[in-house]
Amino acid sequence: MRNDIERVLIDEAVIEKRLDAMAGAIERDFPQGTLVVIILLKGALVFAADLLRRIARPIEIECLNVASYHGGTQSSGTVDFLDRQFPEVRGRHVLLLDDILDTGRTLHAVIARLHAEGAAAVHTGVLLAKDKARAAAVSADYVGFEIGDEFVVGYGLDYLGKYRNLPYVGVLKAAVVGAGEAGA
Ligand code: XMP
């Protein structure tokens, strides 16, 4: 896998330090009591696991399966909810975690759904936010790192299902992306 990476954008030590700060900010900002966290699968799994273990609070974890990429490097433009049942969020303060804020369509759609399901408040945290104009008007309350508008993998983010377990965020070699797109 390492051979497929053109360059490491954010290494493990830098991510860990940033997660310490994010966890501290979340603990300070959220009202006392149990924190309800919704993790967007599969991309936010690694980020959420490392972030939540830094928060010394009772936490209820829910996961949501949404799809917006369908495999490649371009967002499909639609957000599909894949679960048969939606988590019970009525009257709860929710922290929604995703791996990356790109066009904004995913967070926008999930936030709207959480409000429609009666959540009392929705806060959002992302590991990465691409520095670009969003297709949907949304911002995240907690952002790990701002990055340029390029496709990245690792630390939960995949390309065609691979690279999620890389311990850093990196950029794939053009030849790897080219070969994948040709085979898709
Ligand atoms: P939107 O465009 O809805 O995108 O903000 C959010 C979802 O799209 C995926 N995404 C990426 N996945 N590398 C990836 O591996 C990327 O650079 C990238 N940009 C967006 C991701 O699943 C995210 O939740």
Side-chain angles (χ1 to χ4, degrees):
M1 279 197 304
R2 181 64 184 89
N3 287 342
D4 293 350
I5 299 296
E6 172 75 38
R7 79 198 129 88
V8 174
L9 206 59
I10 312 168
D11 74 26
E12 200 174 356
V14 172
I15 294 174
E16 287 185 350
K17 203 162 164 230
R18 183 73 190 118
L19 293 190
D20 287 341
M22 289 175 86
I26 290 166
E27 275 196 41
R28 275 194 304 278
D29 296 351
F30 267 75
Q32 284 301 320
T34 302
L35 195 59
V36 179
V37 178
I38 299 200
I39 301 170
L40 294 189
L41 299 177
K42 301 170 190 165
L45 264 179
V46 176
F47 163 53
D50 284 351
L51 178 72
L52 298 182
R53 280 177 297 168
R54 288 169 158 80
I55 299 177
R57 276 282 181 89
I59 293 180
E60 268 177 38
I61 295 178
E62 300 284 353
C63 295
L64 267 186
N65 242 307
V66 295
S68 60
Y69 255 51
H70 310 301
T73 60
Q74 297 296 319
S75 170
S76 68
T78 58
V79 178
D80 298 322
F81 288 84
L82 306 177
D83 300 287
R84 284 174 56 184
Q85 243 190 327
F86 201 82
E88 181 51 63
V89 294
R90 187 159 298 280
R92 318 287 307 265
H93 285 250
V94 172
L95 174 63
L96 173 63
L97 296 180
D98 201 5
D99 50 1
I100 187 165
L101 181 55
D102 186 353
T103 65
R105 288 193 185 100
T106 304
L107 276 193
H108 191 266
V110 178
I111 292 168
R113 178 75 188 269
L114 287 166
H115 283 304
E117 297 284 335
V122 181
H123 305 267
T124 49
V126 292
L127 176 70
L128 308 169
K130 287 188 185 173
D131 183 14
K132 67 192 277 189
R134 312 259 178 253
V138 68
S139 61
D141 300 304
Y142 305 96
V143 176
F145 304 92
E146 295 265 355
I147 62 168
D149 187 11
E150 59 187 340
F151 190 79
V152 293
V153 297
Y155 207 78
L157 293 112
D158 75 310
Y159 175 59
L160 302 178
K162 274 178 76 179
Y163 310 105
R164 291 193 198 277
N165 56 321
L166 286 174
Y168 49 79
V169 174
V171 178
L172 283 173
K173 288 178 180 162
V176 175
V177 178
E181 305 276 286

